Amino acid sequence: MKAETEEHGLLRTFWNALSFSEIRTAMRIVIRHMFVKPVTFQYPREKRTIPDAHRGALGLLRYDDGKERCVGCDLCEAACPSRCIKVVSAEDPERPLSRVATEFYIDITKCVFCGYCVEACPVNALAMTKMYEYSTPDKRTLIFDKPRLYEVGEKHIDDAKRYLYAHNQEKNDSDSRAYRYKFPHTVTAPRPDP
């Protein structure tokens, strides 16, 4: 009895190896799933438009008059979970008691595109774009400096604005366009007594 079961087991093993039973089983599963109707989700009529919640390369933005938005507060650097942002700020020589970012670096190879830096920025100087094709044979070119970040921001300004609108960072109205990061009172003049 034991010899028959061993012989039967050897024959079964030999037949499975000869007939490629694993491949047959896998192909049976594939063919079974080929004829299944695909499941698709269709938004209701009132929600047909999907907001622009894209997360591509980061870009620095300017105000409409060409001035830099970035005030060098380093909040984006503090909010970054992967520590890929480096901001060096200094006092603005033209305006006393104001700071400006003299250097701004983002290492795109470390960036996880989470958007925390965009949410942390008080002046909406950073925004995500739809730029996702920036492959290069040299990894050092993927460290975006301040001029390159402004170039990306200017080239994809519409995408960046749509990202800010979709995430309620900025509104598309005249009040938001007139918004500037300012002190509540002039810092050069003495404060009025309450």
Side-chain angles (χ1 to χ4, degrees), residues 79-139:
C80 183
S82 61
R83 303 286 179 235
C84 67
I85 299 175
K86 177 66 179 159
V87 181
V88 178
S89 59
E91 190 172 313
D92 190 0
E94 297 174 3
R95 295 179 295 163
L97 300 174
S98 296
R99 299 192 68 76
V100 65
T102 56
E103 297 178 35
F104 200 108
Y105 300 102
I106 297 178
D107 188 355
I108 294 295
T109 61
K110 292 180 183 178
C111 184
V112 293
F113 304 102
C114 61
Y116 290 165
C117 56
V118 177
E119 292 177 18
C121 185
V123 293
N124 297 328
L126 274 174
M128 297 276 191
T129 65
K130 288 185 179 180
M131 183 181 133
Y132 59 89
E133 293 180 0
Y134 38 84
S135 63
T136 178
D138 188 10
K139 186 178 175 181

Side-chain angles (χ1 to χ4, degrees), residues 185 189-194:
H185 57 85
R191 284 184 76 176
D193 292 328

Side-chain angles (χ1 to χ4, degrees), residues 26-43:
M27 290 306 294
R28 195 176 313 126
I29 292 171
V30 168
I31 290 172
R32 190 177 330 138
H33 287 301
M34 281 177 54
F35 299 108
V36 174
K37 185 178 178 182
V39 177
T40 57
F41 178 76
Q42 191 172 19
Y43 285 99

Side-chain angles (χ1 to χ4, degrees), residues 10-91:
L10 285 174
L11 283 174
R12 173 65 70 189
T13 306
F14 178 72
W15 173 250
N16 286 341
L18 189 65
S19 66
F20 303 107
S21 67
E22 291 91 6
I23 294 174
R24 279 186 296 134
T25 305
M27 290 306 294
R28 195 176 313 126
I29 292 171
V30 168
I31 290 172
R32 190 177 330 138
H33 287 301
M34 281 177 54
F35 299 108
V36 174
K37 185 178 178 182
V39 177
T40 57
F41 178 76
Q42 191 172 19
Y43 285 99
R45 287 213 183 271
E46 61 274 358
K47 294 184 180 180
R48 288 278 169 142
T49 58
I50 301 170
D52 289 318
H54 49 272
R55 290 188 176 162
L58 288 160
L60 279 173
L61 302 177
R62 297 180 191 272
Y63 288 116
D64 293 334
D65 58 0
K67 290 186 179 180
E68 294 183 0
R69 286 186 179 207
C70 184
V71 292
C73 64
D74 302 340
L75 288 176
C76 56
E77 184 177 351
C80 183
S82 61
R83 303 286 179 235
C84 67
I85 299 175
K86 177 66 179 159
V87 181
V88 178
S89 59
E91 190 172 313

